[in-house]
Amino acid sequence: MAIEDTPEEWTVTATATPFTGNKTSVRTDDVVMPDGSTARRDYQVHPGSVAVLALDDDGRVLVLRQYRHPVRHKLWEIPAGLLDVPGQNPLHAAQRELYEEAHVQAGDWRVLTDVYTTPGGCDEAVRVFLARELAEAEGERFAVSEEETDMELARVPLDELVRGVLAGELHNNCLVVGVLSLVAAQQVPGLESLRPAGAPWPARPFDA
């Protein structure tokens, strides 16, 4: 048996959207179970996201520290953002986030990994990119607002981030997944075998 996730959709007999927010909503579906019974499932409908693990020539990862109100923490994260426009090319969105949050551009982009963040209660899909050959972006810095006005930036050695993840000191989903995926990819078969930046993403189809 192949160890691979496969698409499947069970029958929905009724659906409703009891809440619609600025970027996300909550949906309630009545889903037919394998035994023929029906169970109600509530979940957040999310447009999807991209994240960027930006690795410089000294083996340091670009991270930022930002307040996240739902968990009442300031978290160290990697640059990330929503796919605001349906069909948006995720690479273009990732390049935008790296520029806006860190004023950095990258010459080499690859797909590091794709994940569903919380598939039991949300349909958010995230594509995590690896960005290398970093340089300061041209032009003026992007004007930040709200939580981003308090954001801190740093470049941290990869080994230190791995230590922090395993010690329970770093908790951001994209940072944890990105850092550990990078360590694994550096071993076998190596970074050059990572998928190209424009690789298909069935979870969030996009325009080339």
Side-chain angles (χ1 to χ4, degrees), residues 11-208:
T11 300
V12 174
T13 60
T15 187
T17 305
F19 171 79
T20 300
N22 185 32
K23 297 293 185 181
T24 67
S25 60
V26 173
R27 183 175 296 162
T28 297
D29 288 343
D30 291 340
V31 186
V32 178
M33 298 289 111
D35 64 359
S37 64
T38 300
R40 180 156 293 176
R41 294 290 178 261
D42 303 316
Y43 58 99
Q44 183 185 24
V45 178
H46 193 285
S49 306
V50 292
V52 184
L53 196 148
L55 183 69
D56 69 17
D57 292 340
D58 295 322
R60 300 174 301 172
V61 176
L62 192 156
V63 293
L64 51 92
R65 189 169 182 245
Q66 187 172 347
Y67 176 65
R68 294 301 189 183
H69 186 71
V71 296
R72 308 304 199 271
H73 270 72
K74 270 193 170 182
L75 300 179
W76 284 104
E77 307 178 351
I78 57 177
L82 297 175
L83 291 168
D84 299 308
V85 181
Q88 183 178 19
N89 188 304
L91 173 60
H92 299 165
Q95 291 169 332
R96 177 198 67 205
E97 292 301 328
L98 187 60
Y99 163 73
E100 291 182 356
E101 295 190 346
H103 200 65
V104 166
Q105 60 186 14
D108 183 83
W109 290 83
R110 297 175 188 270
V111 175
L112 189 53
T113 190
D114 298 324
V115 295
Y116 291 114
T117 55
T118 49
C122 179
D123 71 350
E124 181 184 16
V126 180
R127 169 156 281 188
V128 183
F129 289 91
L130 172 64
R132 294 180 293 173
E133 300 177 8
L134 307 185
E136 185 173 357
E138 299 177 355
E140 297 182 0
R141 287 186 172 273
F142 182 78
V144 297
S145 61
E146 300 176 343
E147 289 92 344
E148 291 182 351
T149 59
D150 191 43
M151 193 163 57
E152 306 168 48
L153 291 173
R155 296 195 183 200
V156 180
L158 178 61
D159 289 349
E160 176 60 19
L161 293 177
V162 172
R163 186 207 62 77
V165 167
L166 298 180
E169 299 168 358
L170 300 171
H171 307 90
N172 174 262
N173 182 290
C174 291
L175 183 146
V176 171
V177 170
V179 163
L180 298 184
S181 295
L182 176 59
V183 171
Q186 286 177 330
Q187 306 305 313
V188 178
L191 297 183
E192 302 311 312
S193 68
L194 289 172
R195 286 173 290 163
W201 188 18
R204 292 293 185 273
F206 59 91
D207 300 324

